[in-house]
């Protein structure tokens, strides 16, 4: 009952006029960002974070969360009408959304996506409200070794479940953590890694410099290089009557929606996973249990509903560890977590005790933003489709300008703007060789939190690393982390053995 | 792609070694009664980077990673031209900020990109590139009080400051 009281308070905070405006603006921007190929929630949140210094932290967070939400809805628009995903989270939506559009039922696909997204978001919000407070309660007892073990687990999931090249993932994590150590060492007060004695490094490398570099500049160059400016568009015929009948028809996808809503949420909680694998997995599972699996890939309603419910649900799921444990569940929430540090909030379970207004205002906004996103999405589908015609040669320079102005605003130092350019181009060049970039962003956000925890733990244990294994909570977490790190190795050995068996047989 | 893979791994290995040396300027061991020294964490992470690079090189040698098997060129002529025009444009944009400030560099960059790279009409180009600095000024300098650098154009803004502040 206490939770319901908090939730009601939170809704009131979210319904303040400023916050309503920010939510409406946020979901509309998010829908656009999600729909634009080359831009996803992570890009939008990274580039627009500096713009939120104007409003108080709670409102800033509500705005950015609304963008995150909106982008999950928006991704479907281009997946269906253009046949290319507007964001990686909507990849699975192209599988059935595009064939449906080619059959002349783009309206049905778009409405199904919107309705499934809404249901997915709502289920996730309910799960979030039920799980977050008890989890935060448990986490309040965590000491330094437990928190460090959790961070280790976050990085281990990238290695074990990320699906990218393992040494490259490891490299990405390590370089992110090393970049986070540049500046003054907070424990000894000594300057550290001041390259070429340039004073600009003394204040450290702000995570936004890396995040905007990668997701603003690097991503734009990547998109220009990979799309080469060739897109074709399917028109969607829409009217109020058609939308209403499509809503009725979309109910046929209820099974996909249900699977996506629940599976997406739990996959979203895992640090490495987030909304993209969540939606792909939900698509796969729905196809497996469906009565008509042969329709998948040819325009199945369930096939559109499952990934769309899942990506919305996963985006809320990713917020769960971010708010309760201070461990982000996705690249976008990593940036939100970094934002919380800039706003002077200490991420972690104490938020639920010390910053109840912030936490519950945000949770309340999830419900309202989700509703707004549905309405704005259904009402303005034609407008978003029209905006998709905006040529990339107009959008890209605007993103570059926003990135550079935003990057400057974050630290107000031209040194960081140059650094951002270097990171952006570097990330693009490395990404061409399959180096994953998300782990580096997660690492630069978590690095400044992880290092003091490690050093304090080792100080406490006189340098004995066994402290992570012997304590009751950090022990099992560390063991799971180690298993995850070893998982690819185990798989490799099993494959080798299997191969040997087949050659012998 | 195959050659780019090993060259990149080599360069990144050099970077890792440099970072290891740089980290060892501080104590990299465990100090009695103080826990790990300031160089401990970055040193071992840089070592982790180096190990990853060696691992990438082994995969390259055994041809087990996709880029080490790929026969595609790492950077074709389109990619290179695009990188020079776009990356060069952004670099010039940041460079210009030092001289003519954000409000001079923004329209110059937008005109360059939209008109000359995008080949849009002058009307469309100017409709975007002229309001852009005005909106940026109102949002950052006025609303957020984040004063963006103006370079040599600073005197032009004095009357505006008088008006707003």
């Amino acid at each position: 009952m206490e939770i319901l009281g908090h939730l009601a308070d939170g809704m009131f905070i979210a319904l303040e006029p400023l916050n309503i405006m920010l939510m409406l603006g946020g979901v509309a921007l998010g829908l656009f960002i999600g729909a634009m190929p080359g831009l996803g929630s992570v890009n939008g949140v990274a580039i627009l974070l500096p713009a939120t210094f104007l409003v108080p932290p709670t409102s800033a967070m509500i705005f950015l969360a609304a963008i995150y939400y909106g982008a999950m809805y928006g991704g479907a628009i281009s997946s269906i009408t253009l046949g290319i995903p507007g964001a990686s989270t909507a990849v699975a939506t192209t599988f059935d959304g595009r064939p449906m559009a080619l059959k002349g039922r783009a309206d049905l696909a778009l409405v199904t996506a919107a309705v499934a997204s809404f249901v997915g978001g709502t289920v996730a919000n309910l799960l979030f409200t039920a799980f977050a407070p008890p989890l935060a309660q448990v986490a309040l007892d965590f000491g330094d070794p437990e928190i460090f073990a959790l961070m280790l687990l976050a990085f281990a999931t990238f290695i074990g479940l990320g699906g990218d090249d393992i040494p490259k993932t490891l490299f990405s994590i390590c370089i992110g953590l090393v970049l986070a150590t540049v500046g003054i060492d907070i424990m000894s007060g000594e300057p550290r890694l001041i390259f070429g004695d340039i004073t600009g490094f003394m204040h450290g490398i702000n995570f936004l410099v890396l995040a905007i570099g990668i997701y603003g500049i690097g991503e734009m160059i990547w998109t220009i290089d990979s799309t080469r400016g060739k897109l074709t568009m399917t028109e969607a015929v829409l009217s109020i009557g058609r939308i209403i009948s499509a809503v009725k028809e979309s109910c046929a996808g209820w099974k996909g929606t249900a699977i996506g809503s629940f599976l997406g949420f739990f996959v979203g909680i895992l640090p490495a996973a987030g909304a993209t694998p969540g939606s792909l997995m939900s698509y796969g599972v729905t196809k497996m249990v469906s009565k008509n699996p042969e329709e998948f890939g040819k325009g199945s309603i369930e096939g559109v509903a499952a990934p769309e419910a899942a990506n919305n649900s996963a985006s809320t799921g990713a917020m769960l560890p971010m708010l309760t444990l201070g461990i982000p569940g996705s690249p976008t929430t990593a940036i939100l977590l970094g934002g919380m540090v800039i706003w002077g909030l200490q991420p972690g379970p104490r938020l639920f005790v010390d910053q109840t207004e912030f936490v519950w205002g945000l949770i309340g906004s999830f419900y309202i933003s989700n509703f707004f996103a549905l309405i704005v999405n259904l009402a303005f589908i034609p407008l978003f489709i029209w905006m998709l015609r905006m040529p990339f040669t107009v959008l890209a320079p605007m993103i570059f300008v926003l990135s550079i102005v935003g990057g400057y605003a974050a630290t107000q130092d031209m040194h960081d703007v140059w650094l951002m350019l270097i990171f952006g181009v570097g990330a693009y060049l490395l990404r061409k060789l399959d180096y994953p970039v998300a782990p580096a962003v997660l690492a630069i956000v978590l690095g400044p939190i992880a290092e003091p925890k490690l050093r304090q733990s080792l100080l406490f244990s006189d340098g004995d690393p066994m402290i992570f294994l012997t304590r009751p909570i950090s022990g099992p977490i560390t063991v799971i982390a180690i298993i995850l790190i070893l998982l690819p190795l185990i798989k490799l050995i099993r494959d080798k053995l299997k191969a040997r068996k087949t050659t012998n047989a | 792609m195959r050659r780019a893979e090993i060259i990149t791994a080599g360069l990144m290995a050099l970077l890792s070694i440099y970072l290891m040396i740089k980290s060892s300027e501080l104590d990299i061991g465990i100090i009695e009664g103080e826990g790990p020294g300031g160089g401990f964490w970055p040193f071992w992470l840089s070592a982790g980077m180096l190990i990853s690079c060696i691992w990438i090189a082994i995969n390259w040698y055994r041809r087990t990673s996709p880029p080490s098997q790929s026969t595609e060129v790492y950077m074709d002529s389109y990619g290179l031209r695009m990188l020079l025009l776009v990356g060069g444009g952004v670099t010039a944009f940041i460079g210009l900020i030092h001289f003519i400030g954000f409000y001079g560099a923004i329209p110059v960059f937008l005109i360059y990109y939209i008109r000359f790279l995008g080949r849009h009409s002058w009307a469309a180009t100017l409709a975007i590139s002229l309001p852009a600095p005005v909106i940026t000024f109102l949002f950052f300098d006025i609303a957020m009080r984040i004063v963006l650098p103006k370079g040599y154009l600073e005197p032009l803004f004095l009357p505006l400051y008088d008006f707003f502040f």
Side-chain angles (χ1 to χ4, degrees):
Chain A
M1 275 307 108
E2 198 196 337
I3 291 178
L4 289 180
H6 281 306
L7 186 61
D9 290 344
M11 295 259 194
F12 275 113
I13 295 169
L15 285 171
E16 282 169 16
L18 170 71
N19 293 342
I20 289 191
M21 263 165 51
L22 286 173
M23 276 189 284
L24 276 174
V27 292
L29 255 172
L31 275 159
F32 173 70
I33 288 166
M36 253 2 232
L39 289 179
S41 61
V42 62
N43 315 94
V45 169
I47 297 166
L48 291 172
L49 200 148
T52 61
F53 299 156
L54 191 58
V55 292
T58 309
S59 305
M61 191 70 172
I62 286 175
F63 174 69
L64 294 175
I67 293 181
Y68 191 15
Y69 250 55
M72 293 299 149
Y73 278 82
I77 298 175
S78 45
S79 289
I80 292 164
T81 56
L82 295 175
I84 51 164
S88 66
T89 49
V91 171
T93 314
T94 54
F95 301 162
D96 279 281
R98 182 64 176 165
M100 215 189 264
L102 291 176
K103 280 191 226 162
R105 292 311 310 273
D107 58 328
L108 177 62
L110 287 165
V111 170
T112 304
V115 171
S117 294
F118 178 73
V119 175
T122 307
V123 169
N125 287 338
L126 293 171
L127 291 173
F128 187 98
T129 315
F131 282 122
L135 188 60
Q137 192 64 39
V138 172
L140 274 177
D141 295 329
F142 285 8
D144 293 333
E146 282 74 27
I147 295 177
F148 182 77
L150 275 173
M151 307 228 165
L152 194 65
L153 181 65
F155 293 120
T157 42
F158 266 106
I159 297 173
L161 307 173
D164 292 300
D165 191 297
I166 293 157
K168 286 173 183 170
T169 308
L170 193 63
F171 181 84
S172 182
I173 294 170
C174 288
I175 197 168
L177 289 170
V178 173
L179 290 176
T181 66
V182 172
I184 304 287
D185 171 20
I186 46 162
M187 291 187 80
S188 66
E190 289 170 274
R192 214 169 26 167
L193 297 178
I194 310 298
F195 307 110
D197 288 326
I198 300 168
T199 49
F201 285 113
M202 290 295 273
H203 61 68
I205 297 175
N206 191 298
F207 83 98
L208 270 177
V209 172
L210 184 72
I212 301 179
I214 290 178
Y215 290 116
I217 296 173
E219 185 90 26
M220 280 303 104
I221 301 180
W222 169 265
T223 309
I224 297 165
D225 184 19
S226 53
T227 60
R228 315 224 150 172
K230 287 180 187 62
L231 303 171
T232 49
M233 182 91 149
T234 312
E235 293 292 332
V237 188
L238 277 167
S239 66
I240 294 176
R242 281 186 82 122
I243 289 180
I244 293 170
S245 75
V247 169
K248 280 188 199 136
E249 274 183 79
S250 69
C251 293
W254 69 271
K255 210 194 257 172
T257 311
I259 292 172
S261 304
F262 285 94
L263 191 63
F265 184 78
F266 292 103
V267 174
I269 294 175
L270 299 172
T276 308
S279 60
L280 285 165
M281 273 168 73
S282 302
Y283 181 86
V285 171
T286 308
K287 185 177 176 181
M288 215 160 67
V289 302
S290 170
K291 280 192 194 124
N292 322 306
E294 69 284 349
E295 270 181 36
F296 278 71
K298 293 175 196 149
S300 158
I301 293 179
E302 281 177 310
V304 176
E308 277 307 307
N311 64 28
N312 270 63
S313 186
S315 64
T316 307
M319 296 264 195
L320 182 74
M322 179 198 71
L323 275 180
T324 56
L325 306 172
I327 310 277
S330 68
T332 313
T333 47
I335 291 165
L336 292 177
L337 187 87
M340 278 159 60
V341 176
I342 296 184
W343 300 318
L345 300 164
Q346 175 74 43
R350 290 222 56 91
L351 274 180
F352 276 79
V353 183
D354 301 335
Q355 304 284 348
T356 42
E357 267 198 23
F358 172 82
V359 170
W360 287 100
L362 177 64
I363 298 175
S365 87
F366 289 170
Y367 288 86
I368 299 163
S369 297
N370 191 31
F371 181 68
F372 281 173
L374 177 74
I375 302 298
V376 174
N377 186 350
L378 286 181
F380 294 108
I381 285 174
L383 181 71
F384 287 115
I385 292 177
W386 175 79
M387 286 206 292
L388 277 177
R389 295 216 185 100
M390 182 199 275
F392 206 68
T393 42
V394 171
L395 184 72
M398 293 205 272
I399 302 291
F400 282 127
V401 168
L402 264 177
S403 300
I404 287 165
V405 176
Y408 179 82
T411 61
Q412 307 191 25
D413 187 347
M414 279 307 285
H415 164 82
D416 286 330
V417 176
W418 284 109
L419 213 54
M420 203 165 73
L421 176 70
I422 295 170
F423 288 145
V425 175
Y428 158 74
L429 293 175
L430 287 177
R431 205 173 151 188
K432 272 185 96 100
L433 292 167
D434 296 346
Y435 284 78
V437 290
V441 174
L442 188 74
I444 201 170
V445 172
L446 290 185
I449 310 170
E451 187 193 358
K453 300 290 175 207
L454 172 74
R455 284 165 76 179
Q456 254 142 15
S457 307
L458 288 180
L459 175 63
F460 187 63
S461 72
D462 285 323
D464 183 6
M466 289 307 283
I467 185 171
F468 298 110
L469 286 167
T470 49
R471 286 177 55 121
I473 300 175
S474 74
I477 301 175
T478 312
V479 170
I480 298 172
I482 293 171
I483 293 174
L484 278 172
I485 294 172
L486 295 178
L487 197 66
L489 204 69
I490 298 168
K491 227 194 247 158
L492 192 82
I493 295 170
R494 218 184 44 194
D495 287 349
K496 278 251 164 86
L497 286 178
K498 215 182 256 170
R500 196 169 296 166
K501 250 187 206 157
T502 45
T503 45
N504 285 352
Chain B
M1 200 69 102
R2 193 171 150 73
R3 197 163 42 163
E5 171 86 345
I6 193 66
I7 292 174
T8 309
L11 287 175
M12 291 298 130
L14 288 178
L15 175 71
S16 319
I17 294 168
Y18 170 71
L19 288 170
M20 282 168 81
I21 297 170
K22 196 78 188 156
S23 308
S24 60
E25 285 173 2
L26 276 78
D27 208 313
I28 56 167
I30 292 187
I31 308 166
E32 201 62 45
E34 276 184 41
F40 175 83
W41 174 256
F43 178 82
W44 289 106
L45 286 167
S46 312
M49 282 168 65
L50 183 64
I51 294 169
S52 316
C53 292
I54 296 169
W55 190 347
I56 293 167
I58 296 172
N59 282 346
W60 173 83
Y61 179 75
R62 297 175 55 211
R63 295 177 187 257
T64 47
S65 64
S68 61
Q69 302 160 353
S70 166
T71 49
E72 266 178 69
V73 279
Y74 176 62
M75 192 67 88
D76 60 7
S77 62
Y78 178 93
L80 195 66
R81 216 176 70 96
M82 183 278 314
L83 186 64
L84 285 178
L85 288 175
V86 175
V90 177
T91 310
F93 172 31
I94 301 177
L96 270 178
I97 293 171
H98 288 279
F99 298 99
I100 53 173
F102 270 91
Y103 301 115
I106 289 174
V108 171
F109 174 72
L110 287 175
I111 290 171
Y112 160 75
Y113 204 114
I114 298 173
R115 173 70 205 171
F116 296 100
L117 293 188
R119 293 168 203 244
H120 296 282
S121 67
W122 271 111
T125 308
L126 295 179
I128 296 165
S129 45
L130 295 183
V134 179
I135 296 167
T136 318
F137 179 77
L138 290 177
F139 192 78
F140 284 92
D141 279 63
I142 304 303
M144 291 221 284
R145 301 284 164 105
I146 292 177
V147 180
L148 300 181
K150 317 236 163 25
Y152 295 115
L153 300 184
E154 183 85 43
L156 294 176
F157 286 84
L158 296 178
L160 281 173
Y161 293 148
D162 290 340
F163 180 75
F164 282 107
F165 299 113

